[in-house]
Amino acid sequence: LKTIVRKYPDVGHTLLVQLLPSSHGIAHETHKMRWRLSESPRSTGIAYDEIYKAYGATLDLLIEHFDNSEEQFKKLVEVSDNLEHFERQRLLDFLETKISEVKFTTTAVWDELRKMLHHHRSHPDAHWSLPEEVLQRYERFYYALEPKDDIEKIWWLFTEHWPNFPEGHSIKTSYSERAQQLQERRTIELTTIYKNHGLMKILELLEEIPENQAHILGFTLANIVTDEQEFEELAKFLKVDDKHLVFIQTFLHRKLLANTKKWVFDYYEKLKALGYDSATLAKIFVKLPADRELWNFVAQTDDVIIDYYWKSVNLALFLLTVKDKEFGMRKLMNYGRFTSAVEEASHIADDLEKDTIIEVLYGFIKSEPEQVFRIHSYQIEILFDRLEQSEIDTATMIQLEWLYMPI
């Protein structure tokens, strides 16, 4: 091991880290040579003292060959909570002496410390959980490495659906309570950024978060921004098809919920007056909650917007009246969206006419599938069950069953 870590530092460091204990690790033993000497036992156990000495020797090598890099510092933090008490104390003492010498260019170590604190403090009674006095030592590392930039301080709140908090969370807290507390925390932190630096600083945060979490930032910002000029500034994101579009569409969705549909309709009229084309304006509507009021407004726009809406919208018809459910289903079928029609119909089968279900089933088997949804066999079964409960002629039922036999 000494030779490997001296000649091949990167490989040696990785090997040494993997030799330290892991909370969820597995091992596959290699075959050992057996000396078949009559005076010696053929197999011997390994004493815990020898195991701990091996861990101690491994840690000695890691400390001796530490290269003052952020990556190695992070690896040592990751494995530290699985070490025996005295070895952990020795490692933390060493890291305290090195923290001022390491050049931290990312928040990777800070993020790892937050994850660790959250994990242990959320399960204080677990047998593997570290005592609070030890966690306070990790917490000192955490605050020592807190970024100076205001965006870097809060970006982690928007990169995961359920981010890790250094204080942990109580398992007795309900899902709805956790969600409310999280949203309040996000709103407070983002409001501080907005008041101190303005909208443009928040848009820097948008560039840092992944696309699948952009909706969180859009939803939260809608609780804060009220300036009409800033609404117009955000409208530029309707012209793209990446996370910026997800962001603005969620922003508009939240604004609608906080105000009325009239707010969105007025927003559309303002952007139209500013010269936005129909292809861009259509994106305002597709992520809004579908209902008759919205459909009537879209129908009064133009063919580009109408076609874009019905070719793109996810309707969630189960929230609507029976009459509107039938209307929505008819629109999906008229635009050849039979995959979406099956998806919707499987949730509202009891409210649909049998002829509608028959048309959906015939259309789905004959049309090209949409890429948005993956239809499962149980969804088809729901529709067949609904037909069996209705007065459907035997010939039609036999034909449908024959068509869907492979499914």
Side-chain angles (χ1 to χ4, degrees), residues 352-381:
L352 296 177
E353 297 290 338
K354 68 175 182 179
D355 291 340
T356 302
I357 295 177
I358 291 171
E359 187 174 349
V360 168
L361 289 172
Y362 274 125
F364 176 69
I365 206 71
K366 295 176 181 178
S367 63
E368 289 294 324
E370 298 172 64
Q371 299 301 316
V372 181
F373 296 108
R374 178 183 177 185
I375 298 302
H376 300 275
S377 59
Y378 75 87
Q379 293 174 294
I380 302 297
E381 290 172 7

PDB file of all heavy atoms in Angstrom, residues 352-381:
ATOM      1  N   LEU A 352     -67.001   8.694 -18.674  1.00  0.00           N
ATOM      2  CA  LEU A 352     -67.000   8.794 -20.136  1.00  0.00           C
ATOM      3  C   LEU A 352     -68.079   7.910 -20.759  1.00  0.00           C
ATOM      4  O   LEU A 352     -68.394   6.828 -20.239  1.00  0.00           O
ATOM      5  CB  LEU A 352     -65.631   8.400 -20.695  1.00  0.00           C
ATOM      6  CG  LEU A 352     -64.457   9.299 -20.313  1.00  0.00           C
ATOM      7  CD1 LEU A 352     -63.168   8.734 -20.890  1.00  0.00           C
ATOM      8  CD2 LEU A 352     -64.680  10.732 -20.797  1.00  0.00           C
ATOM      9  N   GLU A 353     -68.588   8.370 -21.887  1.00  0.00           N
ATOM     10  CA  GLU A 353     -69.523   7.554 -22.654  1.00  0.00           C
ATOM     11  C   GLU A 353     -68.781   6.360 -23.241  1.00  0.00           C
ATOM     12  O   GLU A 353     -67.595   6.455 -23.577  1.00  0.00           O
ATOM     13  CB  GLU A 353     -70.149   8.387 -23.774  1.00  0.00           C
ATOM     14  CG  GLU A 353     -70.989   9.568 -23.302  1.00  0.00           C
ATOM     15  CD  GLU A 353     -72.284   9.122 -22.649  1.00  0.00           C
ATOM     16  OE1 GLU A 353     -72.719   7.973 -22.927  1.00  0.00           O
ATOM     17  OE2 GLU A 353     -72.845   9.916 -21.876  1.00  0.00           O
ATOM     18  N   LYS A 354     -69.500   5.248 -23.409  1.00  0.00           N
ATOM     19  CA  LYS A 354     -68.861   4.046 -23.949  1.00  0.00           C
ATOM     20  C   LYS A 354     -68.333   4.290 -25.352  1.00  0.00           C
ATOM     21  O   LYS A 354     -67.282   3.767 -25.736  1.00  0.00           O
ATOM     22  CB  LYS A 354     -69.831   2.858 -23.930  1.00  0.00           C
ATOM     23  CG  LYS A 354     -71.007   2.999 -24.892  1.00  0.00           C
ATOM     24  CD  LYS A 354     -71.860   1.747 -24.932  1.00  0.00           C
ATOM     25  CE  LYS A 354     -72.991   1.910 -25.946  1.00  0.00           C
ATOM     26  NZ  LYS A 354     -73.836   0.689 -26.038  1.00  0.00           N
ATOM     27  N   ASP A 355     -69.071   5.078 -26.162  1.00  0.00           N
ATOM     28  CA  ASP A 355     -68.625   5.346 -27.527  1.00  0.00           C
ATOM     29  C   ASP A 355     -67.295   6.105 -27.528  1.00  0.00           C
ATOM     30  O   ASP A 355     -66.468   5.920 -28.424  1.00  0.00           O
ATOM     31  CB  ASP A 355     -69.685   6.141 -28.285  1.00  0.00           C
ATOM     32  CG  ASP A 355     -70.929   5.316 -28.569  1.00  0.00           C
ATOM     33  OD1 ASP A 355     -70.822   4.072 -28.532  1.00  0.00           O
ATOM     34  OD2 ASP A 355     -72.002   5.901 -28.815  1.00  0.00           O
ATOM     35  N   THR A 356     -67.096   6.981 -26.547  1.00  0.00           N
ATOM     36  CA  THR A 356     -65.831   7.706 -26.434  1.00  0.00           C
ATOM     37  C   THR A 356     -64.690   6.745 -26.151  1.00  0.00           C
ATOM     38  O   THR A 356     -63.613   6.821 -26.765  1.00  0.00           O
ATOM     39  CB  THR A 356     -65.916   8.767 -25.321  1.00  0.00           C
ATOM     40  OG1 THR A 356     -66.985   9.670 -25.608  1.00  0.00           O
ATOM     41  CG2 THR A 356     -64.608   9.541 -25.215  1.00  0.00           C
ATOM     42  N   ILE A 357     -64.916   5.812 -25.228  1.00  0.00           N
ATOM     43  CA  ILE A 357     -63.878   4.832 -24.873  1.00  0.00           C
ATOM     44  C   ILE A 357     -63.561   3.937 -26.060  1.00  0.00           C
ATOM     45  O   ILE A 357     -62.393   3.639 -26.348  1.00  0.00           O
ATOM     46  CB  ILE A 357     -64.325   4.001 -23.659  1.00  0.00           C
ATOM     47  CG1 ILE A 357     -64.451   4.908 -22.432  1.00  0.00           C
ATOM     48  CG2 ILE A 357     -63.345   2.861 -23.398  1.00  0.00           C
ATOM     49  CD1 ILE A 357     -64.952   4.197 -21.199  1.00  0.00           C
ATOM     50  N   ILE A 358     -64.597   3.515 -26.785  1.00  0.00           N
ATOM     51  CA  ILE A 358     -64.381   2.672 -27.971  1.00  0.00           C
ATOM     52  C   ILE A 358     -63.528   3.417 -28.993  1.00  0.00           C
ATOM     53  O   ILE A 358     -62.578   2.873 -29.566  1.00  0.00           O
ATOM     54  CB  ILE A 358     -65.732   2.258 -28.588  1.00  0.00           C
ATOM     55  CG1 ILE A 358     -66.460   1.285 -27.652  1.00  0.00           C
ATOM     56  CG2 ILE A 358     -65.530   1.631 -29.971  1.00  0.00           C
ATOM     57  CD1 ILE A 358     -67.894   0.985 -28.075  1.00  0.00           C
ATOM     58  N   GLU A 359     -63.844   4.679 -29.235  1.00  0.00           N
ATOM     59  CA  GLU A 359     -63.084   5.475 -30.203  1.00  0.00           C
ATOM     60  C   GLU A 359     -61.636   5.660 -29.756  1.00  0.00           C
ATOM     61  O   GLU A 359     -60.707   5.610 -30.577  1.00  0.00           O
ATOM     62  CB  GLU A 359     -63.756   6.840 -30.393  1.00  0.00           C
ATOM     63  CG  GLU A 359     -63.135   7.659 -31.514  1.00  0.00           C
ATOM     64  CD  GLU A 359     -63.911   8.938 -31.788  1.00  0.00           C
ATOM     65  OE1 GLU A 359     -65.026   9.083 -31.251  1.00  0.00           O
ATOM     66  OE2 GLU A 359     -63.384   9.783 -32.548  1.00  0.00           O
ATOM     67  N   VAL A 360     -61.439   5.862 -28.451  1.00  0.00           N
ATOM     68  CA  VAL A 360     -60.081   5.998 -27.915  1.00  0.00           C
ATOM     69  C   VAL A 360     -59.285   4.715 -28.142  1.00  0.00           C
ATOM     70  O   VAL A 360     -58.132   4.757 -28.595  1.00  0.00           O
ATOM     71  CB  VAL A 360     -60.123   6.343 -26.411  1.00  0.00           C
ATOM     72  CG1 VAL A 360     -58.734   6.190 -25.784  1.00  0.00           C
ATOM     73  CG2 VAL A 360     -60.623   7.756 -26.201  1.00  0.00           C
ATOM     74  N   LEU A 361     -59.897   3.575 -27.868  1.00  0.00           N
ATOM     75  CA  LEU A 361     -59.190   2.300 -28.005  1.00  0.00           C
ATOM     76  C   LEU A 361     -58.851   2.000 -29.468  1.00  0.00           C
ATOM     77  O   LEU A 361     -57.743   1.539 -29.776  1.00  0.00           O
ATOM     78  CB  LEU A 361     -60.034   1.176 -27.410  1.00  0.00           C
ATOM     79  CG  LEU A 361     -60.133   1.184 -25.877  1.00  0.00           C
ATOM     80  CD1 LEU A 361     -61.151   0.149 -25.396  1.00  0.00           C
ATOM     81  CD2 LEU A 361     -58.773   0.909 -25.243  1.00  0.00           C
ATOM     82  N   TYR A 362     -59.780   2.248 -30.359  1.00  0.00           N
ATOM     83  CA  TYR A 362     -59.494   2.045 -31.781  1.00  0.00           C
ATOM     84  C   TYR A 362     -58.395   3.002 -32.259  1.00  0.00           C
ATOM     85  O   TYR A 362     -57.473   2.622 -32.987  1.00  0.00           O
ATOM     86  CB  TYR A 362     -60.765   2.269 -32.617  1.00  0.00           C
ATOM     87  CG  TYR A 362     -61.644   1.050 -32.745  1.00  0.00           C
ATOM     88  CD1 TYR A 362     -62.987   1.101 -32.377  1.00  0.00           C
ATOM     89  CD2 TYR A 362     -61.148  -0.149 -33.251  1.00  0.00           C
ATOM     90  CE1 TYR A 362     -63.818  -0.011 -32.495  1.00  0.00           C
ATOM     91  CE2 TYR A 362     -61.967  -1.274 -33.361  1.00  0.00           C
ATOM     92  CZ  TYR A 362     -63.298  -1.193 -32.987  1.00  0.00           C
ATOM     93  OH  TYR A 362     -64.101  -2.302 -33.104  1.00  0.00           O
ATOM     94  N   GLY A 363     -58.511   4.262 -31.853  1.00  0.00           N
ATOM     95  CA  GLY A 363     -57.529   5.257 -32.289  1.00  0.00           C
ATOM     96  C   GLY A 363     -56.134   4.976 -31.776  1.00  0.00           C
ATOM     97  O   GLY A 363     -55.138   5.141 -32.499  1.00  0.00           O
ATOM     98  N   PHE A 364     -56.043   4.523 -30.536  1.00  0.00           N
ATOM     99  CA  PHE A 364     -54.729   4.274 -29.940  1.00  0.00           C
ATOM    100  C   PHE A 364     -53.990   3.142 -30.649  1.00  0.00           C
ATOM    101  O   PHE A 364     -52.790   3.236 -30.924  1.00  0.00           O
ATOM    102  CB  PHE A 364     -54.889   3.941 -28.458  1.00  0.00           C
ATOM    103  CG  PHE A 364     -53.599   3.573 -27.776  1.00  0.00           C
ATOM    104  CD1 PHE A 364     -52.606   4.520 -27.562  1.00  0.00           C
ATOM    105  CD2 PHE A 364     -53.368   2.271 -27.367  1.00  0.00           C
ATOM    106  CE1 PHE A 364     -51.410   4.175 -26.942  1.00  0.00           C
ATOM    107  CE2 PHE A 364     -52.175   1.912 -26.745  1.00  0.00           C
ATOM    108  CZ  PHE A 364     -51.196   2.875 -26.535  1.00  0.00           C
ATOM    109  N   ILE A 365     -54.696   2.089 -30.988  1.00  0.00           N
ATOM    110  CA  ILE A 365     -54.046   0.930 -31.587  1.00  0.00           C
ATOM    111  C   ILE A 365     -53.618   1.215 -33.026  1.00  0.00           C
ATOM    112  O   ILE A 365     -52.704   0.580 -33.559  1.00  0.00           O
ATOM    113  CB  ILE A 365     -54.981  -0.302 -31.545  1.00  0.00           C
ATOM    114  CG1 ILE A 365     -54.171  -1.606 -31.554  1.00  0.00           C
ATOM    115  CG2 ILE A 365     -55.987  -0.287 -32.672  1.00  0.00           C
ATOM    116  CD1 ILE A 365     -53.422  -1.879 -30.284  1.00  0.00           C
ATOM    117  N   LYS A 366     -54.258   2.206 -33.666  1.00  0.00           N
ATOM    118  CA  LYS A 366     -53.967   2.496 -35.064  1.00  0.00           C
ATOM    119  C   LYS A 366     -53.013   3.677 -35.259  1.00  0.00           C
ATOM    120  O   LYS A 366     -52.506   3.881 -36.355  1.00  0.00           O
ATOM    121  CB  LYS A 366     -55.273   2.793 -35.816  1.00  0.00           C
ATOM    122  CG  LYS A 366     -56.223   1.599 -35.891  1.00  0.00           C
ATOM    123  CD  LYS A 366     -57.533   1.984 -36.560  1.00  0.00           C
ATOM    124  CE  LYS A 366     -58.494   0.800 -36.615  1.00  0.00           C
ATOM    125  NZ  LYS A 366     -59.796   1.176 -37.226  1.00  0.00           N
ATOM    126  N   SER A 367     -52.771   4.471 -34.193  1.00  0.00           N
ATOM    127  CA  SER A 367     -51.987   5.703 -34.345  1.00  0.00           C
ATOM    128  C   SER A 367     -50.563   5.509 -33.830  1.00  0.00           C
ATOM    129  O   SER A 367     -50.259   4.561 -33.096  1.00  0.00           O
ATOM    130  CB  SER A 367     -52.654   6.845 -33.578  1.00  0.00           C
ATOM    131  OG  SER A 367     -52.681   6.562 -32.186  1.00  0.00           O
ATOM    132  N   GLU A 368     -49.704   6.436 -34.220  1.00  0.00           N
ATOM    133  CA  GLU A 368     -48.336   6.441 -33.718  1.00  0.00           C
ATOM    134  C   GLU A 368     -48.328   6.921 -32.259  1.00  0.00           C
ATOM    135  O   GLU A 368     -48.980   7.914 -31.935  1.00  0.00           O
ATOM    136  CB  GLU A 368     -47.454   7.373 -34.560  1.00  0.00           C
ATOM    137  CG  GLU A 368     -47.164   6.858 -35.958  1.00  0.00           C
ATOM    138  CD  GLU A 368     -46.307   5.603 -35.934  1.00  0.00           C
ATOM    139  OE1 GLU A 368     -45.422   5.513 -35.057  1.00  0.00           O
ATOM    140  OE2 GLU A 368     -46.531   4.727 -36.782  1.00  0.00           O
ATOM    141  N   PRO A 369     -47.614   6.241 -31.380  1.00  0.00           N
ATOM    142  CA  PRO A 369     -47.621   6.647 -29.964  1.00  0.00           C
ATOM    143  C   PRO A 369     -46.892   7.969 -29.753  1.00  0.00           C
ATOM    144  O   PRO A 369     -45.924   8.280 -30.443  1.00  0.00           O
ATOM    145  CB  PRO A 369     -46.894   5.496 -29.263  1.00  0.00           C
ATOM    146  CG  PRO A 369     -46.017   4.897 -30.320  1.00  0.00           C
ATOM    147  CD  PRO A 369     -46.774   5.048 -31.603  1.00  0.00           C
ATOM    148  N   GLU A 370     -47.388   8.762 -28.806  1.00  0.00           N
ATOM    149  CA  GLU A 370     -46.685   9.981 -28.401  1.00  0.00           C
ATOM    150  C   GLU A 370     -45.518   9.593 -27.503  1.00  0.00           C
ATOM    151  O   GLU A 370     -45.569   8.600 -26.774  1.00  0.00           O
ATOM    152  CB  GLU A 370     -47.631  10.904 -27.641  1.00  0.00           C
ATOM    153  CG  GLU A 370     -48.823  11.384 -28.443  1.00  0.00           C
ATOM    154  CD  GLU A 370     -49.810  12.138 -27.569  1.00  0.00           C
ATOM    155  OE1 GLU A 370     -49.444  13.202 -27.042  1.00  0.00           O
ATOM    156  OE2 GLU A 370     -50.941  11.648 -27.399  1.00  0.00           O
ATOM    157  N   GLN A 371     -44.486  10.398 -27.507  1.00  0.00           N
ATOM    158  CA  GLN A 371     -43.305  10.103 -26.701  1.00  0.00           C
ATOM    159  C   GLN A 371     -43.462  10.559 -25.255  1.00  0.00           C
ATOM    160  O   GLN A 371     -42.687  10.177 -24.390  1.00  0.00           O
ATOM    161  CB  GLN A 371     -42.074  10.783 -27.324  1.00  0.00           C
ATOM    162  CG  GLN A 371     -41.760  10.302 -28.725  1.00  0.00           C
ATOM    163  CD  GLN A 371     -41.501   8.806 -28.793  1.00  0.00           C
ATOM    164  OE1 GLN A 371     -40.810   8.251 -27.961  1.00  0.00           O
ATOM    165  NE2 GLN A 371     -42.088   8.163 -29.795  1.00  0.00           N
ATOM    166  N   VAL A 372     -44.458  11.399 -24.998  1.00  0.00           N
ATOM    167  CA  VAL A 372     -44.605  11.990 -23.661  1.00  0.00           C
ATOM    168  C   VAL A 372     -45.016  10.953 -22.626  1.00  0.00           C
ATOM    169  O   VAL A 372     -44.541  10.956 -21.498  1.00  0.00           O
ATOM    170  CB  VAL A 372     -45.647  13.131 -23.696  1.00  0.00           C
ATOM    171  CG1 VAL A 372     -45.798  13.766 -22.310  1.00  0.00           C
ATOM    172  CG2 VAL A 372     -45.226  14.183 -24.712  1.00  0.00           C
ATOM    173  N   PHE A 373     -45.912  10.048 -23.029  1.00  0.00           N
ATOM    174  CA  PHE A 373     -46.456   9.076 -22.082  1.00  0.00           C
ATOM    175  C   PHE A 373     -46.052   7.659 -22.455  1.00  0.00           C
ATOM    176  O   PHE A 373     -45.861   7.333 -23.620  1.00  0.00           O
ATOM    177  CB  PHE A 373     -47.992   9.139 -22.048  1.00  0.00           C
ATOM    178  CG  PHE A 373     -48.535  10.439 -21.564  1.00  0.00           C
ATOM    179  CD1 PHE A 373     -49.146  11.314 -22.440  1.00  0.00           C
ATOM    180  CD2 PHE A 373     -48.443  10.787 -20.224  1.00  0.00           C
ATOM    181  CE1 PHE A 373     -49.659  12.518 -22.011  1.00  0.00           C
ATOM    182  CE2 PHE A 373     -48.953  11.990 -19.775  1.00  0.00           C
ATOM    183  CZ  PHE A 373     -49.568  12.852 -20.658  1.00  0.00           C
ATOM    184  N   ARG A 374     -45.975   6.837 -21.426  1.00  0.00           N
ATOM    185  CA  ARG A 374     -45.841   5.400 -21.636  1.00  0.00           C
ATOM    186  C   ARG A 374     -47.099   4.751 -21.076  1.00  0.00           C
ATOM    187  O   ARG A 374     -47.376   4.855 -19.883  1.00  0.00           O
ATOM    188  CB  ARG A 374     -44.607   4.862 -20.913  1.00  0.00           C
ATOM    189  CG  ARG A 374     -44.447   3.354 -21.064  1.00  0.00           C
ATOM    190  CD  ARG A 374     -43.258   2.842 -20.279  1.00  0.00           C
ATOM    191  NE  ARG A 374     -43.159   1.385 -20.364  1.00  0.00           N
ATOM    192  CZ  ARG A 374     -42.283   0.660 -19.707  1.00  0.00           C
ATOM    193  NH1 ARG A 374     -41.419   1.249 -18.895  1.00  0.00           N
ATOM    194  NH2 ARG A 374     -42.252  -0.653 -19.840  1.00  0.00           N
ATOM    195  N   ILE A 375     -47.853   4.136 -21.944  1.00  0.00           N
ATOM    196  CA  ILE A 375     -49.105   3.527 -21.527  1.00  0.00           C
ATOM    197  C   ILE A 375     -48.839   2.127 -20.975  1.00  0.00           C
ATOM    198  O   ILE A 375     -48.135   1.317 -21.583  1.00  0.00           O
ATOM    199  CB  ILE A 375     -50.092   3.458 -22.713  1.00  0.00           C
ATOM    200  CG1 ILE A 375     -50.418   4.870 -23.206  1.00  0.00           C
ATOM    201  CG2 ILE A 375     -51.368   2.740 -22.300  1.00  0.00           C
ATOM    202  CD1 ILE A 375     -51.013   5.776 -22.164  1.00  0.00           C
ATOM    203  N   HIS A 376     -49.415   1.830 -19.806  1.00  0.00           N
ATOM    204  CA  HIS A 376     -49.258   0.529 -19.165  1.00  0.00           C
ATOM    205  C   HIS A 376     -50.499  -0.336 -19.404  1.00  0.00           C
ATOM    206  O   HIS A 376     -51.605   0.182 -19.630  1.00  0.00           O
ATOM    207  CB  HIS A 376     -49.026   0.711 -17.666  1.00  0.00           C
ATOM    208  CG  HIS A 376     -47.798   1.511 -17.349  1.00  0.00           C
ATOM    209  ND1 HIS A 376     -46.544   0.952 -17.264  1.00  0.00           N
ATOM    210  CD2 HIS A 376     -47.639   2.841 -17.106  1.00  0.00           C
ATOM    211  CE1 HIS A 376     -45.663   1.887 -16.982  1.00  0.00           C
ATOM    212  NE2 HIS A 376     -46.293   3.040 -16.876  1.00  0.00           N
ATOM    213  N   SER A 377     -50.316  -1.614 -19.320  1.00  0.00           N
ATOM    214  CA  SER A 377     -51.422  -2.535 -19.618  1.00  0.00           C
ATOM    215  C   SER A 377     -52.603  -2.329 -18.678  1.00  0.00           C
ATOM    216  O   SER A 377     -53.761  -2.489 -19.081  1.00  0.00           O
ATOM    217  CB  SER A 377     -50.931  -3.982 -19.543  1.00  0.00           C
ATOM    218  OG  SER A 377     -50.413  -4.275 -18.249  1.00  0.00           O
ATOM    219  N   TYR A 378     -52.339  -1.961 -17.429  1.00  0.00           N
ATOM    220  CA  TYR A 378     -53.453  -1.800 -16.492  1.00  0.00           C
ATOM    221  C   TYR A 378     -54.362  -0.639 -16.899  1.00  0.00           C
ATOM    222  O   TYR A 378     -55.566  -0.648 -16.599  1.00  0.00           O
ATOM    223  CB  TYR A 378     -52.947  -1.608 -15.069  1.00  0.00           C
ATOM    224  CG  TYR A 378     -52.362  -0.248 -14.771  1.00  0.00           C
ATOM    225  CD1 TYR A 378     -53.175   0.809 -14.359  1.00  0.00           C
ATOM    226  CD2 TYR A 378     -50.995  -0.009 -14.884  1.00  0.00           C
ATOM    227  CE1 TYR A 378     -52.645   2.059 -14.086  1.00  0.00           C
ATOM    228  CE2 TYR A 378     -50.464   1.232 -14.613  1.00  0.00           C
ATOM    229  CZ  TYR A 378     -51.293   2.263 -14.209  1.00  0.00           C
ATOM    230  OH  TYR A 378     -50.765   3.503 -13.943  1.00  0.00           O
ATOM    231  N   GLN A 379     -53.806   0.369 -17.611  1.00  0.00           N
ATOM    232  CA  GLN A 379     -54.646   1.474 -18.067  1.00  0.00           C
ATOM    233  C   GLN A 379     -55.612   1.009 -19.145  1.00  0.00           C
ATOM    234  O   GLN A 379     -56.764   1.452 -19.190  1.00  0.00           O
ATOM    235  CB  GLN A 379     -53.758   2.612 -18.594  1.00  0.00           C
ATOM    236  CG  GLN A 379     -52.926   3.284 -17.496  1.00  0.00           C
ATOM    237  CD  GLN A 379     -51.951   4.296 -18.048  1.00  0.00           C
ATOM    238  OE1 GLN A 379     -51.011   3.933 -18.766  1.00  0.00           O
ATOM    239  NE2 GLN A 379     -52.152   5.559 -17.750  1.00  0.00           N
ATOM    240  N   ILE A 380     -55.143   0.126 -20.012  1.00  0.00           N
ATOM    241  CA  ILE A 380     -56.029  -0.462 -21.022  1.00  0.00           C
ATOM    242  C   ILE A 380     -57.087  -1.324 -20.340  1.00  0.00           C
ATOM    243  O   ILE A 380     -58.268  -1.313 -20.721  1.00  0.00           O
ATOM    244  CB  ILE A 380     -55.216  -1.295 -22.029  1.00  0.00           C
ATOM    245  CG1 ILE A 380     -54.146  -0.427 -22.723  1.00  0.00           C
ATOM    246  CG2 ILE A 380     -56.137  -1.952 -23.049  1.00  0.00           C
ATOM    247  CD1 ILE A 380     -54.711   0.688 -23.553  1.00  0.00           C
ATOM    248  N   GLU A 381     -56.690  -2.076 -19.313  1.00  0.00           N
ATOM    249  CA  GLU A 381     -57.629  -2.932 -18.592  1.00  0.00           C
ATOM    250  C   GLU A 381     -58.747  -2.122 -17.954  1.00  0.00           C
ATOM    251  O   GLU A 381     -59.911  -2.560 -17.913  1.00  0.00           O
ATOM    252  CB  GLU A 381     -56.879  -3.724 -17.518  1.00  0.00           C
ATOM    253  CG  GLU A 381     -55.950  -4.783 -18.081  1.00  0.00           C
ATOM    254  CD  GLU A 381     -55.078  -5.417 -17.003  1.00  0.00           C
ATOM    255  OE1 GLU A 381     -55.310  -5.117 -15.813  1.00  0.00           O
ATOM    256  OE2 GLU A 381     -54.180  -6.200 -17.356  1.00  0.00           O
TER     257      GLU A 381
END
